[in-house]
Amino acid sequence: MLADAPSSNMNSPISSSQGTFPNSRIENYEYPNSGASSSLSRFNADINGSDESDLLSLSWNQDYGCFAAGTKMLFRCNVLALVGDVANSHYPPNKVLIWDDHQRRCMGEFTFRSEVRGVKLRRDRIVVVLEHKIYVYNLMDLKLLHQFDTMANPRGLCCLSYHSNTFVLACPGCHKGQVRVEHFGLNVTKLINVHNSEVACFTMTMDGLLLATASVKGTLIRIFNTMDGSRLQEVRRGADNAKINSIALSPNAQWLAASSDKGTVHIFNLRVRVFGEDSVIHPNALQGPVLLHQNSSTALDPLISPNTGANPNSSLSFMRGFLPKYFSSEWSFARFRLPGKTKFIVAFGSHNTVLIVGMDGSFYRCIFDQVHGGEMLQKDYVRFLKR
């Protein structure tokens, strides 16, 4: 029976993964962080040369060390959330199953009155996104901790911080162009008006201090301070409207990557100071901007570069202040062009690498010049999924 509040069931018995989800598969793929070609050979071993795939979903894990590909076959992973399908009467799209593949058992399940639009996990929380509601649960006992309303959210937009000492959640607000940011540890809610039109995509840094957003127009990407809601920077993807499929921020908050349906991945240089080495990203030490005190609305002031000029890569930077906004916007620093109209999601690897995964079952690893920018160099390409 469905109640007004979502019901949950702990430790539901499951005889086998195949018996529960006969037509589902979640695969985890690790990628090389140091350019070792031997790691990629595992992908190529199963390639059958087909350009088609049965991918239903793609997502990165919290530290971008691997990505999950949801297909119509069996699954394997550690702890993951599975959402049912319309064609599966036993597990419909309003049901979420939390599965621990290491222990080969179901940790619990949730049933809702409406379709689940998205699920986000971190080590201590489960966040379930419905079209007009978001629920936050404790991972250990599946108890409901928080719930709040959003405007219509068919894309299931939501992102979390992943540092153990902070818990920040961003989701659509109740008005067009608004993002709601919850700093749970501080008991602070910020409603940030990020765009005039509907929000299409957003992400945060690992510590939840910076928020990057794009609207349905897809021409501009804006970066905000989540503590006080102030806008820190604005970059331009292009002049024509586009659908932004994903946005990623590098662990040191120096770079931003965005993919769109125009078949191009853009890299932007952010004006955020980095503590320590600001030209190298250590794959095993995901260090975002360090915030020592979160009790001030100006906590991020020391992190923002005093240089408020245009992108140094723009030939029009010397005319800033005299040209219309379109010309004075900060344009991309580096680019990579992709084939076709496939949806791609992006992430940052070690050093100056960008990782791109497509719904056609393709994987790219590219390198960009951190000094001169320009066209990125493709280092690896594989088809990680066979039919």
Side-chain angles (χ1 to χ4, degrees):
M1 178 178 295
L2 296 180
D4 291 336
S7 61
S8 63
N9 181 22
M10 283 288 291
N11 299 322
S12 302
I14 285 187
S15 57
S16 69
S17 59
Q18 186 174 3
T20 303
F21 280 85
N23 295 311
S24 301
R25 181 180 186 175
I26 299 293
E27 299 243 21
N28 264 11
Y29 297 92
E30 295 183 1
Y31 60 80
N33 244 348
S34 58
S37 59
S38 59
S39 300
L40 290 173
S41 63
R42 299 185 296 113
F43 296 159
N44 287 317
D46 291 331
I47 296 173
N48 66 353
S50 172
D51 289 334
E52 302 294 330
S53 69
D54 292 318
L55 277 177
L56 301 176
S57 66
L58 280 174
S59 62
W60 295 99
N61 71 330
Q62 290 91 334
D63 64 0
Y64 306 109
C66 62
F67 61 90
T71 75
K72 296 180 179 180
M73 298 171 283
L74 300 179
F75 67 83
R76 65 177 180 85
C77 191
N78 183 17
V79 175
L80 60 146
L82 295 173
V83 179
D85 184 73
V86 176
N88 192 327
S89 59
H90 188 56
Y91 284 96
N94 66 322
K95 183 172 288 190
V96 178
L97 176 75
I98 307 300
W99 176 260
D100 185 337
D101 200 52
H102 179 70
Q103 300 185 35
R104 305 293 296 174
R105 70 181 183 91
C106 175
M107 297 172 59
E109 61 183 56
F110 303 94
T111 303
F112 301 89
R113 287 185 174 274
S114 59
E115 254 185 60
V116 175
R117 299 300 187 181
V119 182
K120 298 291 182 180
L121 298 176
R122 49 177 275 155
R123 294 182 178 180
D124 56 351
R125 297 291 185 269
I126 302 169
V127 177
V128 180
V129 184
L130 307 183
E131 184 151 351
H132 294 275
K133 200 91 170 180
I134 287 185
Y135 296 96
V136 181
Y137 298 90
N138 184 32
L139 181 60
M140 296 302 296
D141 54 15
L142 301 192
K143 288 184 178 179
L144 180 64
L145 302 178
H146 311 278
Q147 58 177 304
F148 35 88
D149 299 321
T150 70
M151 66 174 296
N153 184 18
R155 300 180 184 88
L157 299 179
C158 181
C159 62
L160 310 177
S161 65
Y162 293 112
H163 281 185
S164 59
N165 59 342
T166 62
F167 180 25
V168 186
L169 179 149
C171 66
C174 292
H175 303 285
K176 183 176 69 174
Q178 185 182 77
V179 172
R180 174 175 182 155
V181 179
E182 292 286 340
H183 290 266
F184 289 105
L186 302 176
N187 197 27
V188 170
T189 300
K190 295 300 298 184
L191 299 175
I192 308 174
N193 296 316
V194 296
H195 298 281
N196 293 327
S197 52
E198 185 181 345
V199 180
C201 188
F202 55 76
T203 191
M204 291 191 299
T205 47
M206 290 285 187
D207 54 16
L209 297 182
L210 297 179
L211 170 74
T213 70
S215 74
V216 291
K217 293 183 177 180
T219 55
L220 298 173
I221 299 173
R222 291 170 175 163
I223 297 89
F224 296 85
N225 175 346
T226 64
M227 295 295 296
D228 62 12
S230 61
R231 189 167 80 190
L232 306 176
Q233 191 174 353
E234 178 179 278
V235 297
R236 179 172 291 274
R237 182 211 56 81
D240 299 329
N241 288 3
K243 180 182 178 181
I244 302 292
N245 291 320
S246 72
I247 303 174
L249 291 163
S250 66
N252 63 3
Q254 186 180 359
W255 307 101
L256 180 148
S259 64
S260 72
D261 62 354
K262 296 294 185 180
T264 306
V265 171
H266 293 270
I267 305 295
F268 300 90
N269 195 346
L270 300 185
R271 298 192 309 272
V272 178
R273 286 179 178 163
V274 180
F275 293 94
E277 298 180 73
D278 56 10
S279 60
V280 177
I281 302 174
H282 299 285
N284 296 322
L286 293 175
Q287 300 294 329
V290 178
L291 181 61
L292 299 178
H293 303 285
Q294 288 194 348
N295 57 359
S296 169
S297 63
T298 59
L300 274 180
D301 287 350
L303 304 180
I304 307 304
S305 170
N307 175 21
T308 57
N311 187 334
N313 196 46
S314 171
S315 60
L316 299 174
S317 60
F318 71 97
M319 296 185 67
R320 187 175 181 87
F322 299 95
L323 293 172
K325 184 177 181 180
Y326 169 83
F327 292 100
S328 59
S329 297
E330 299 176 47
W331 293 76
S332 61
F333 178 78
R335 294 154 297 282
F336 183 72
R337 304 186 189 282
L338 295 156
K341 297 292 183 180
T342 298
K343 177 181 177 180
F344 291 93
I345 61 174
V346 295
F348 284 93
S350 61
H351 304 296
N352 56 330
T353 60
V354 176
L355 309 162
I356 307 167
V357 183
M359 288 294 291
D360 60 352
S362 60
F363 173 91
Y364 297 83
R365 187 172 67 91
C366 306
I367 294 179
F368 64 96
D369 189 319
Q370 294 178 300
V371 177
H372 301 102
E375 294 297 323
M376 287 190 276
L377 176 64
Q378 178 180 313
K379 299 296 291 183
D380 295 300
Y381 167 78
V382 295
R383 294 299 300 272
F384 62 85
L385 186 69
K386 67 177 182 179
R387 297 190 68 180

